[in-house]
Amino acid sequence: MKNVTAIVLAAGQGTRMKSTRAKVLHEICGKTILHHVLSAAFDAGVTDAVVVVGFDGDAVRASLEPFGERVRTALQAEQRGTGHAVGCALPQLGRAGDQVLVLCGDTPLVRAKDLERLMTTLASSPARTSLALLTCLVPDPSGYGRIIRDGGQVRAIREHRDCSEAERAILEINPAMYAVRTAFLEPAVQLLKPNNAQGELYFTDVVAQAAEQSGAISVLCDDASTLVGINDRAQLHSAEEVMYARIAADLQRSGVTIRGDARIDAGVVVEPEAVIEQGVRLRGATVVRRGAFVDVGCVLSDVVVAEEARLQPYSVATRSTIGKKAQIGPFSHLRPDSEIHEDAHVGNFVETKKTVLRKGAKANHLAYLGDGDIGAGANIGAGTIFCNYDGFQKHRTDIGEGAFVGSDSQIIAPVTIGKGAYVATGTTVTKDVPPDALAISRVKQENKEGYASRLRARLKASKPKPS
Ligand code: UD1
Ligand code: CA
């Protein structure tokens, strides 16, 4: 089977979402509903796709950018039904192969293997078979189109609102996924008439046309939960739960330990022997390499965690990299463009932003390190602040290899502290410190012998008597 184009219908508003955004743009596990449908189609082997857009069309179009040239769009300016929508896609088909896959953009849980089965079934059927459709059995078919059979053969699909009482009892439904012979599709769509309760052109009537020529075959799907269409926020929620469980199961099979309710978004990479603890969220383009440990409650968005790095509980990181065997947390905050190199440590209540900690550098407690470069093996004491912002501009702090910055120091950027230099505790650094120098800026300590008891006596005498 080669050269199959998918037509994906995504022009509707999805009124039941009660949203100003198109329904297909709502996200499940970090990707849009539509993105999941397209991914399944490509995994199943389709070569390219035409997405039919309408409501919120510019935003839907923009969301397709990650797919590049494999996906193009067709405009359905007015939503006149699923059959009309397919008709709008036809001019975009180009040099389509023998069959076209027709899908809805609102079924994110669809599995590639079911789409593949649909396409191979049609491909291996006699030429007079013009269409294969997926069907499934559900306990509650309300809202779905029912599969009308006669002598076992598919005859038609009747929409819920067009069904008779007897037809409503049918439990076999139409999930709206079809493989159709390209040569049959165009004339069949042109014959559609709006003779139904909604006055729309129903793509389901194309199935009836195929059936008339005994050319419609069905493929029964064994897991109806994978075919649900998302129409409201409750369905969005339950579909997302199913997908998180699916992602976790796939990773567990590959050798990743996942505990409790950890949630890993679609597209995140986790290598075998990594441990993802309870309450962790991994988002976006995050990659967790072999043997890394991500402890309870960490939230990572677009972060690369190298082999055997250890993230202690409740650390939050965004668009940053964490090196081999580095240690982060508990309660660290790595803001965008932080680079924590091999064996470096970032401890509790340390915030970094656009800062590099080179190999083995340490900032173990309470610090703000913004716009800096901290040399290999340097040590940043508790309470150190890189004063990087003067109210107008950001400035850089550069700290040389092996330097030592004592606790409670303020480094007023722009400034450079040389290799192996020593900044005494409590120093306010306002100018560059040469390599190997000591910087100290604090008032000399004075001790007044015996002064404490004299002070107490004075204070006691002045205390007002209780009345
Ligand atoms: C459709 C099927 C129904 C099936 C159900 C499965 C028809 C007539 N009915 O019903 O048999 O059981 O899906 O979920 O096909 N769309 C457009 N343009 C339009 C109308 C719809 O692009 O003019 C898109 C929507 O954005 C959506 C998809 O087509 O992604 C399905 O439309 P929807 O209105 O949800 O169809 P259902 O009533 O669910
Ligand atoms: Ca629907």
Side-chain angles (χ1 to χ4, degrees):
M1 202 180 43
K2 39 182 198 276
N3 201 11
V4 178
T5 303
I7 295 177
V8 183
L9 310 187
Q13 174 176 8
T15 357
R16 282 167 285 176
M17 291 300 276
K18 307 227 162 69
S19 176
T20 53
R21 257 189 311 162
K23 172 170 80 173
V24 296
L25 292 185
H26 287 260
E27 288 189 358
I28 282 185
C29 301
K31 298 255 190 285
T32 65
I33 295 174
L34 178 58
H35 186 109
H36 291 295
V37 176
L38 287 164
S39 292
F42 287 120
D43 288 349
V46 311
T47 35
D48 57 343
V50 179
V51 175
V52 181
V53 305
F55 180 83
D56 204 11
D58 289 342
V60 176
R61 236 180 248 119
S63 80
L64 297 171
E65 204 203 329
F67 291 99
E69 294 194 342
R70 288 184 300 170
V71 175
R72 40 197 196 282
T73 57
L75 180 68
Q76 185 195 25
E78 211 187 321
Q79 281 71 68
R80 293 170 50 205
T82 48
H84 178 249
V86 172
C88 293
L90 293 177
Q92 297 286 333
L93 275 187
R95 287 191 300 118
D98 179 53
Q99 57 168 292
V100 171
L101 191 64
V102 176
L103 305 173
C104 293
D106 67 350
T107 55
L109 298 177
V110 62
R111 296 175 299 191
K113 65 173 182 185
D114 290 317
L115 299 180
E116 211 179 325
R117 200 151 64 94
L118 195 57
M119 294 187 285
T120 49
T121 303
L122 182 64
S124 58
S125 300
R128 69 177 159 81
T129 308
S130 355
L131 177 153
L133 74 154
L134 218 55
T135 75
C136 65
L137 294 162
V138 294
D140 175 15
S142 52
Y144 286 104
R146 309 297 204 281
I147 308 296
I148 312 289
R149 289 182 184 267
D150 178 11
Q153 287 294 311
V154 174
R155 284 288 157 231
I157 295 169
R158 194 97 66 238
E159 289 309 293
H160 181 89
R161 61 179 92 205
D162 299 314
C163 278
S164 67
E165 208 50 43
E167 287 166 341
R168 283 198 178 165
I170 296 171
L171 300 180
E172 189 184 16
I173 61 107
N174 168 36
M177 299 174 196
Y178 324 83
V180 193
R181 297 250 194 242
T182 314
F184 165 80
L185 184 61
E186 191 163 354
V189 166
Q190 258 140 31
L191 287 174
L192 290 175
K193 297 273 176 322
N195 45 9
N196 51 62
Q198 294 196 103
E200 291 186 347
L201 298 178
Y202 282 176
F203 187 72
T204 44
D205 291 344
V206 166
V207 177
Q209 288 183 43
E212 262 168 48
Q213 307 152 20
S214 322
I217 45 169
S218 63
V219 174
L220 185 69
C221 172
D222 60 2
D223 186 351
S225 73
T226 66
L227 304 177
V228 290
I230 307 299
N231 295 313
D232 58 33
R233 308 256 180 176
Q235 288 167 329
L236 185 79
H237 173 79
S238 48
E240 185 167 61
E241 297 300 307
V242 171
M243 188 163 288
Y244 274 128
R246 200 189 274 180
I247 292 169
D250 284 347
L251 289 171
Q252 282 158 345
R253 263 194 297 280
S254 76
V256 176
T257 293
I258 298 173
R259 293 211 171 85
D261 62 351
R263 292 186 153 191
I264 300 169
D265 278 358
V268 166
V269 175
V270 187
E271 292 185 354
E273 306 283 4
V275 177
I276 309 299
E277 277 289 343
Q278 132 126 358
V280 167
R281 296 279 187 275
L282 303 181
R283 297 176 172 152
T286 293
V287 178
V288 179
R289 299 267 179 234
R290 184 173 278 274
F293 185 92
V294 184
D295 211 334
V296 176
C298 288
V299 181
L300 309 184
S301 312
D302 304 323
V303 173
V304 179
V305 181
E307 291 84 354
E308 292 174 67
R310 201 176 171 86
L311 276 77
Q312 305 207 63
Y314 303 105
S315 295
V316 176
T318 306
R319 217 177 72 214
S320 292
T321 57
I322 297 170
K324 228 171 163 174
K325 295 192 177 171
Q327 287 189 34
I328 309 295
F331 302 102
S332 301
H333 187 189
L334 309 185
R335 290 169 51 208
D337 303 321
S338 298
E339 270 182 48
I340 315 302
H341 289 193
E342 189 173 343
D343 284 324
H345 293 190
V346 176
N348 41 200
F349 310 108
V350 173
E351 174 181 340
T352 63
K353 188 217 73 179
K354 264 195 194 165
T355 285
V356 184
L357 262 87
R358 298 190 183 272
K359 189 172 177 187
K362 294 188 175 69
N364 274 327
H365 336 264
L366 302 166
Y368 173 64
L369 311 173
D371 301 299
D373 188 319
I374 301 168
N379 193 309
I380 308 297
T384 297
I385 307 289
F386 287 3
C387 309
N388 60 330
Y389 186 48
D390 55 17
F392 298 94
Q393 284 182 57
K394 303 283 168 67
H395 303 283
R396 294 188 50 79
T397 296
D398 286 286
I399 297 186
E401 198 180 310
F404 181 94
V405 177
S407 301
D408 194 29
S409 297
Q410 305 94 54
I411 318 291
I412 302 183
V415 85
T416 298
I417 296 175
K419 191 169 159 181
Y422 200 104
V423 174
T425 292
T427 295
T428 302
V429 177
T430 53
K431 56 183 188 209
D432 290 354
V433 181
D436 203 35
L438 168 75
I440 182 164
S441 77
R442 61 192 184 214
V443 176
K444 271 224 163 64
Q445 183 173 333
E446 192 187 341
N447 292 335
K448 301 190 174 181
E449 295 291 339
Y451 193 89
S453 48
R454 272 181 282 150
L455 180 68
R456 272 188 214 103
R458 205 174 74 211
L459 293 173
K460 197 172 169 191
S462 65
K463 190 176 168 190
K465 295 254 165 353
S467 50

